[in-house]
Amino acid sequence: MIDRDLLAKVIQDESIIRSFYLDLETDAALTKMDGLSIKIAEKQPDIPFNAAVKGYVGAVDADGDPWILKPTVDRSETLYHRICTLAFLLDHWMGTLSAPTTVCTIAGKDYRAVKVVKNAIQISSYNYLEHPFIDWLRADLVNRWLYFDEDRNPNNYLVIRNSKEEPFVVAIDFDKADFEATSMKITGIEGKFGWVRGEKTRFLTLLRPDNFDGLSIETFDSRLKSMMSIPAGELRKLARRLVDGYAEDPDGLADSLVENISRRRTYIDTYFRKMFKLESETKNISNSDEYSMFGASFLSAYGNNK
């Protein structure tokens, strides 16, 4: 059973499963999004404040689900956001909750489209260095490192609850992901777990390297295995479908995207397995309360995060 199916079993909430397409295989989820009839709402529904100030407008699909749309400047920007859809699709494959993201065309105009996560609260409302949130954020580092997604601030994560009032974290906003970089923009530090990033003004994770001290490889094993198990052929099919009709050389671009992802995931898997030992060989060290942080204090406390 793949991780997406396991996630659906854990959530046990049909409305959430349907909204995030967890009842579909990943290629079917892409087909679903590409086939959606999305229309700008005549009466603008309430949309998240952060989206409103960035120029998004409210929309609704044929299923009655709300979306937010932002027009793209030109065809190259449309292609970029189409490629960023890979972040959602790979999250979906690996059983990671993230907001469905795509590109749509309405009356001849291209838009970046993001599905609204209903009944959500920003993670900054919680102490996300406590369980279960920190467990999710630790594993999520694998995904964001794979995507070279260096815009992971507290506004980029939401918390939803299922019918049993159990919390689940949802990743949103992938417009700073970079699947086209051919070199490693994010590399691991030798000797002690950590990372060096090319983009110094943003963040790879809400956590500090200290928040990974004392962990065992079992913390990441399932996510790493899920990442490594995605067949390269399936990756290429997804990439090719995403860029077809948007890129001048869709075959060449799809090949390049798959090569980049394959190179990165091999690096990440090797690095994590080198830096973390089996639980039987390590002692879990609790994080000190001095590292507790909340959304409002994030930038001031960790402005020098590398």
Side-chain angles (χ1 to χ4, degrees):
M1 182 178 294
I2 62 177
D3 289 303
R4 181 184 62 252
D5 296 328
L6 291 174
L7 176 62
K9 281 197 168 187
V10 171
I11 290 176
Q12 294 185 343
D13 188 311
E14 289 302 320
S15 64
I16 295 177
I17 291 171
R18 184 193 65 81
S19 183
F20 290 91
Y21 310 132
L22 298 179
D23 54 340
L24 302 175
E25 294 185 359
T26 302
D27 61 343
L30 177 56
T31 299
K32 171 73 174 180
M33 291 193 300
D34 283 349
L36 284 174
S37 175
I38 301 177
K39 298 181 179 180
I40 297 175
E42 293 183 6
K43 294 183 178 179
Q44 285 290 296
D46 292 333
I47 63 175
F49 174 77
N50 288 339
V53 298
K54 293 179 180 179
Y56 284 85
V57 297
V60 63
D61 65 24
D63 296 329
D65 290 328
W67 292 70
I68 51 175
L69 310 179
K70 185 176 183 180
T72 57
V73 175
D74 52 34
R75 200 64 173 174
S76 64
E77 185 184 359
T78 300
L79 172 62
Y80 171 75
H81 287 301
R82 186 70 174 169
I83 293 172
C84 286
T85 302
L86 271 171
F88 165 71
L89 295 174
L90 294 177
D91 277 357
H92 182 272
W93 194 302
M94 289 188 277
T96 301
L97 275 181
S98 64
T101 303
T102 187
V103 166
C104 68
T105 302
I106 301 176
K109 188 171 185 59
D110 293 332
Y111 292 85
R112 176 178 182 241
V114 181
K115 197 170 190 179
V116 174
V117 180
K118 298 179 182 178
N119 303 316
I121 300 175
Q122 287 188 349
I123 200 170
S124 54
S125 297
Y126 300 85
N127 181 350
Y128 43 74
L129 288 193
E130 292 183 348
H131 302 289
F133 306 108
I134 193 170
D135 305 318
W136 191 96
L137 290 172
R138 283 166 170 162
D140 188 63
L141 177 64
V142 172
N143 302 56
R144 308 313 139 193
W145 195 326
L146 178 64
Y147 312 151
F148 289 175
D149 185 356
E150 298 186 73
D151 193 20
R152 294 287 102 196
N153 64 69
N155 294 327
N156 297 140
Y157 293 105
L158 302 174
V159 177
I160 60 174
R161 293 180 179 274
N162 65 4
S163 57
K164 297 180 180 180
E165 288 300 311
E166 297 169 324
F168 295 89
V169 179
V170 181
I172 63 173
D173 293 342
F174 313 122
D175 61 342
K176 298 299 188 298
D178 185 354
F179 287 97
E180 296 182 82
T182 57
S183 60
M184 290 297 296
K185 290 173 60 177
I186 303 166
T187 55
I189 297 173
E190 294 299 321
K192 180 180 173 62
F193 182 76
W195 52 87
V196 177
R197 304 175 299 107
E199 175 57 74
K200 297 298 191 294
T201 60
R202 301 191 182 108
F203 301 88
L204 175 62
T205 173
L206 305 189
L207 306 179
R208 292 169 51 137
D210 312 71
N211 300 132
F212 295 84
D213 286 350
L215 297 178
S216 67
I217 190 60
E218 282 88 347
T219 304
F220 312 99
D221 187 60
S222 177
R223 188 64 56 85
L224 292 171
K225 286 180 177 177
S226 179
M227 174 183 70
M228 296 301 294
S229 67
I230 303 175
E234 295 302 317
L235 276 176
R236 191 188 185 284
K237 288 179 183 177
L238 292 173
R240 180 62 171 77
R241 289 180 60 187
L242 285 171
V243 303
D244 187 31
Y246 297 92
E248 293 183 2
D249 179 13
D251 287 313
L253 180 53
D255 288 340
S256 178
L257 293 172
V258 173
E259 289 174 7
N260 294 341
I261 292 170
S262 296
R263 186 183 307 112
R264 296 177 199 180
R265 66 177 176 176
T266 297
Y267 179 92
I268 294 167
D269 184 69
T270 301
Y271 180 70
F272 272 70
R273 295 190 183 283
K274 176 181 177 181
M275 301 306 294
F276 295 101
K277 300 178 180 179
L278 294 171
E279 186 174 5
S280 59
E281 301 174 10
T282 187
K283 181 179 180 180
N284 197 328
I285 302 173
S286 298
N287 291 295
S288 171
D289 288 341
E290 66 178 302
Y291 295 124
S292 292
M293 59 182 174
F294 299 87
S297 64
F298 179 78
L299 292 178
S300 61
Y302 301 101
N304 62 347
N305 190 318
K306 297 281 187 179

